[in-house]
Amino acid sequence: MKILAIETSCDETAAAVVDGQRVLGNSIYSQILLHRKWGGVVPSLAKKAHQERIDPVIATAVKKARIDFKDLDVIAVTYGPGLAIALEVGIDKAKELASRHDKKLIAVNHMEGHIYANLAQNSQGKPQRDLKFPMLALLISGGHTELVLWTGDLEFKLLGETVDDAAGEALDKAAKLLNLGYPGGPVIDRISGQVNNRDIYKFPRPMSKSDDLNFSFSGLKTAFYYHLKKMPPEEISKQLKYLVSSFQEAVIDSLLLKLAKAIQQTGVRKIVVGGGVSANQYLRQRLRFLMKKINGEVIFPPQKYLCTDNAAMIGVAAAIRAQHNLFIKDFAQLDRQPRLSFHK
Ligand code: KG4
Ligand code: ZN
């Protein structure tokens, strides 16, 4: 079953053609440069850019897949969570194409997409991953930080989430305080690697003592802000690498502490990771180490583009939805759900 998937929930205008788990064609227009000077995503600019780019992005994905539009069976689209006016662009386009070309329509939860990114394959069907449920999903992006119990096809339970900032957002804000540009995560990843990820400053790990599986990063951000305020600018420049790597260490420690708690509470030792922060080299190293120690297993999205926002993951999730006959019967009923979430 060939699916055209569309993703416009945040600042990537993305489309992909998949056949089951196989990604046949993928196209992403990143709006990063557009939002960079504002230090974050501006919804009205994102909407306008989605509107301008959606048609060429879809055309590129279809062209790369080397198929004819008429060979598509389904149009799939992200309907939440995300920015309402950005989601709308993708949903309207999906409805328009499905009606005009008489295709079936599937709506996908963006977070479900980040989980299914771990199952995406190239056009040759690689890698082949045989997942055994239950698994734990650690979802870490610019908008979300969640721990999810994954018990079967489309069966998810939210175990914990951030009560304030997301992990990626915390990295972005720290980078902004240091004038390192947007998004901050990749820069912080790179700089921290230069000093072997040393933790000199020992910034706080908020909520590490609480028994629940929720996260918090705003206290860390505030501690970082006041720490920088006390430092003369030349000292900040001199210590930049250590400041950055210590901040990253605090974020990653906070994530791993709660993951370890979730493993302890559920007894599940198989982990999948998703979202932009899952591209982080040091996080991957720490996760591999942790899972090796407890004889567990961790899986990452097989390619870097599958960590950050993309439509291939939406297509792979839609393929599972198609297997379960979860098509939208009345297109008019499909609406964006900016706050869509897994049930607790
Ligand atoms: O999943 P994503 O593309 O968008 C959302 O759904 O939010 O994630 C974007 C986030 C940004 O906060 C960015 O700084 C972070 O992922 N990120 C990284 C890395 N690459 C992207 N964080 C740490 N290390 C990276 N290599
Ligand atoms: Zn995302």
Side-chain angles (χ1 to χ4, degrees), residues 110 114 141-143 168-169 171-172 183-186 189 275-277 279-280 307-309:
H110 179 82
H114 275 303
S141 69
E169 190 180 359
L171 294 168
D172 292 341
D189 189 359
V277 184
N280 187 278
C307 294
T308 44
D309 286 350

Side-chain angles (χ1 to χ4, degrees), residues 7 9-12 81 110-111 114 140-144 166-173 182-190 248 252 274-283 304-310 313:
E7 153 67 45
S9 68
C10 191
D11 61 344
E12 325 280 350
H110 179 82
M111 302 314 289
H114 275 303
I140 36 183
S141 69
H144 297 88
E169 190 180 359
L171 294 168
D172 292 341
K173 284 180 175 170
Y182 170 85
V187 192
I188 289 183
D189 189 359
R190 204 172 56 241
Q248 177 181 270
I252 291 177
V277 184
S278 67
N280 187 278
Q281 290 305 319
Y282 182 56
L283 171 95
K304 203 165 174 187
Y305 86 85
L306 291 162
C307 294
T308 44
D309 286 350
N310 66 88
M313 67 183 193

Side-chain angles (χ1 to χ4, degrees), residues 36-341:
R36 184 167 273 167
K37 71 170 175 215
W38 307 104
V41 180
V42 182
S44 57
L45 292 180
K47 174 188 171 172
K48 192 159 165 278
H50 284 315
Q51 284 171 330
E52 284 166 7
R53 305 305 297 218
I54 188 89
D55 285 333
V57 163
I58 290 173
T60 306
V62 173
K63 193 169 160 211
K64 281 188 178 169
R66 297 204 194 130
I67 59 157
D68 227 50
F69 208 93
K70 66 172 174 8
D71 299 328
L72 291 167
D73 304 291
V74 177
I75 312 287
V77 65
T78 306
Y79 74 114
L83 303 169
I85 58 174
L87 288 163
E88 235 161 47
V89 179
I91 293 172
D92 288 349
K93 181 55 68 182
K95 285 181 182 175
E96 175 199 318
L97 292 175
S99 307
R100 180 146 40 98
H101 300 279
D102 197 21
K103 308 287 181 196
K104 291 181 169 168
L105 185 63
I106 289 180
V108 175
N109 175 338
H110 179 82
M111 302 314 289
E112 185 179 293
H114 275 303
I115 294 178
Y116 279 107
N118 286 278
L119 289 185
Q121 298 174 331
N122 65 16
S123 57
Q124 265 73 55
K126 298 231 166 68
Q128 279 213 328
R129 286 175 165 169
D130 181 24
L131 300 189
K132 293 229 166 41
F133 298 116
M135 301 195 75
L136 283 172
L138 176 65
L139 302 179
I140 36 183
S141 69
H144 297 88
T145 302
E146 297 180 356
L147 263 170
V148 178
L149 180 64
W150 187 14
T151 50
D153 276 5
L154 306 165
E155 285 173 17
F156 305 106
K157 185 176 178 223
L158 184 66
L159 300 179
E161 62 189 326
T162 182
V163 297
D164 41 54
D165 293 348
E169 190 180 359
L171 294 168
D172 292 341
K173 284 180 175 170
K176 194 173 175 183
L177 289 173
L178 294 166
N179 294 318
L180 295 175
Y182 170 85
V187 192
I188 289 183
D189 189 359
R190 204 172 56 241
I191 296 179
S192 303
Q194 292 168 7
V195 290
N196 277 328
N197 305 296
R198 285 171 64 189
D199 184 17
I200 304 284
Y201 289 96
K202 313 250 182 284
F203 293 120
R205 277 67 164 156
M207 313 247 314
S208 58
K209 299 226 160 39
S210 75
D211 253 348
D212 62 34
L213 299 175
N214 290 330
F215 305 90
S216 165
F217 294 101
S218 77
L220 167 63
K221 178 194 65 192
T222 309
F224 191 64
Y225 171 79
Y226 284 108
H227 192 93
L228 293 182
K229 247 182 117 168
K230 282 188 301 195
M231 287 174 82
E234 44 312 337
E235 189 62 14
I236 293 182
S237 318
K238 233 165 78 189
Q239 298 299 325
L240 186 73
K241 295 179 198 163
Y242 298 111
L243 286 163
V244 163
S245 81
S246 301
F247 187 86
Q248 177 181 270
E249 184 84 29
V251 170
I252 291 177
D253 254 6
S254 306
L255 293 171
L256 265 56
L257 271 163
K258 291 299 167 100
L259 176 67
K261 251 182 204 149
I263 292 171
Q264 207 178 34
Q265 288 179 17
T266 60
V268 177
R269 281 178 299 171
K270 274 178 294 183
I271 314 293
V272 293
V273 192
V277 184
S278 67
N280 187 278
Q281 290 305 319
Y282 182 56
L283 171 95
R284 288 182 173 220
Q285 201 182 311
R286 289 275 308 269
L287 270 171
R288 288 200 186 97
F289 183 76
L290 170 73
M291 298 317 290
K292 202 169 165 197
K293 211 168 70 182
I294 60 166
N295 211 6
E297 189 188 347
V298 58
I299 289 168
F300 300 97
Q303 289 191 45
K304 203 165 174 187
Y305 86 85
L306 291 162
C307 294
T308 44
D309 286 350
N310 66 88
M313 67 183 193
I314 302 303
V316 174
I320 307 284
R321 290 197 161 262
Q323 280 172 19
H324 291 265
N325 258 312
L326 293 168
F327 300 103
I328 303 289
K329 292 193 184 71
D330 177 5
F331 291 5
Q333 292 292 312
L334 174 61
D335 198 5
R336 75 245 189 321
Q337 286 196 35
R339 300 189 161 276
L340 182 66
S341 153

